[in-house]
Amino acid sequence: TEQILACFLIFIQAAFLNRIFIKNRLSHFNTLLPGMFYILFSSFLPSMQFLSPALIANFLFLVALSELMGTYKKPRASGQIFNVGFFISMAGLVYGPYMFYVVFGFIGLLSLRSFKFVERLQLICGVIAPLLILGSWQYYSKDFSSTFSNILHFNLNNYVLIFTQDLALSITLPVVVFAIIAVLGYNGFTMKKSIQAQKKIDIMFWSMFFALISISILNPVTSTHLSLFALSASGLIAMLFLRLKNDVLQELLHVIMVFGLFVAHFDLLSKWL
């Protein structure tokens, strides 16, 4: 049952991600590839397919991302700015590393809108609201001391130590490869795009950057944490995929990815070697 719910949630998030890309015209084409890549990346390891806090928090962050992109060139966007902070904070309460994304919210506003101090206050109010609600409930239930220590608990780690953990190869290798591919394709993403689309694509890059930062400082790093990176990288890889002119090459790469997924799930390499 838990795996079925996880698969359903991944499907909903993939559809939501496609909606964000189509609505904000981040690609020249109306494509469903961002959602497809997100499903592939989220299913890459068997341990990622269960109802984890990271997976639930991803949905809340998608809402925050949609609200953030919706603030572009809106004279009055106080409600949406508040929602950005609110849903990032909610995602952080569900999965602690998302609290780092509060900084992402400030950077996103700075990229999409001119600086206004009152809008920063609105974002901060959105961040504080879930914390106040949760704190009030815990105080009412006379368990205030454990409010944030249990929910926001996660261990920090030195960046170098990520490579010494058991899942280092399975987690860092795909992350590094896809991050390098996305960065190298930046000029192709923004080429012949409107200023609005370019700024929103920058937002996706910032999201990927914060996912990399959160991966590098957590201890232990689990495979479920990879879903944070998958959420940001899927759309960028999809846009790079669309730049391939050869249809046969596109199909071949897709088959290779699906084959890699089967290898990871059924542990075929250990049976062959």
Side-chain angles (χ1 to χ4, degrees), residues 23-176:
K23 181 180 179 180
N24 293 281
R25 300 179 180 178
L26 300 185
S27 174
H28 290 299
F29 310 98
N30 290 337
T31 176
L32 303 180
L33 284 179
M36 185 203 75
F37 279 110
Y38 177 66
I39 292 174
L40 281 176
F41 295 158
S42 298
S43 307
F44 193 75
L45 296 175
S47 56
M48 297 174 67
Q49 291 188 317
F50 70 93
L51 202 59
S52 64
L55 190 60
I56 297 173
N58 274 356
F59 179 78
L60 296 170
F61 176 70
L62 274 174
V63 178
L65 184 64
S66 178
E67 291 290 293
L68 177 62
M69 291 188 177
T71 64
Y72 183 76
K73 281 193 173 181
K74 277 195 174 181
R76 298 181 180 179
S78 57
Q80 288 177 300
I81 294 172
F82 178 88
N83 288 341
V84 172
F86 183 87
F87 283 104
I88 289 178
S89 183
M90 287 288 291
L93 290 176
V94 174
Y95 188 61
Y98 260 119
M99 277 300 177
F100 290 110
Y101 282 70
V102 173
V103 181
F104 163 80
F106 282 99
I107 294 175
L109 283 181
L110 189 62
S111 176
L112 296 177
R113 303 175 64 83
S114 58
F115 181 85
K116 292 181 181 179
F117 183 71
V118 67
E119 292 184 350
R120 273 59 188 175
L121 288 179
Q122 291 165 355
L123 181 66
I124 293 174
C125 289
V127 172
I128 294 175
L131 304 179
L132 286 177
I133 295 172
L134 179 62
S136 300
W137 171 253
Q138 292 292 333
Y139 180 77
Y140 175 77
S141 59
K142 299 180 181 180
D143 192 24
F144 186 74
S145 60
S146 63
T147 300
F148 305 112
S149 60
N150 292 336
I151 297 177
L152 299 179
H153 175 70
F154 53 93
N155 297 319
L156 297 182
N157 184 20
N158 185 275
Y159 180 80
V160 180
L161 295 182
I162 187 175
F163 297 100
T164 67
Q165 300 178 21
D166 295 337
L167 291 172
L169 182 61
S170 60
I171 291 180
T172 58
L173 185 58
V175 166
V176 171

Side-chain angles (χ1 to χ4, degrees), residues 230-252:
L231 196 63
S232 305
S234 298
L236 299 177
I237 298 300
M239 288 192 291
L240 187 63
F241 196 81
L242 287 172
R243 294 187 63 219
L244 298 175
K245 304 299 182 182
N246 193 322
D247 293 339
V248 176
L249 181 59
Q250 289 182 352
E251 296 296 337
L252 180 62

Side-chain angles (χ1 to χ4, degrees), residues 40 44 253-265 268-269 272:
L40 281 176
F44 193 75
L253 289 176
H254 181 239
V255 170
I256 291 174
M257 290 180 182
V258 175
F259 179 74
L261 188 148
F262 275 95
V263 169
H265 275 255
L268 296 180
L269 287 180
W272 293 338

Side-chain angles (χ1 to χ4, degrees), residues 209-223:
F209 172 76
F210 275 90
L212 290 172
I213 292 296
S214 62
I215 287 175
S216 67
I217 63 179
L218 289 183
N219 180 30
V221 179
T222 62
S223 57

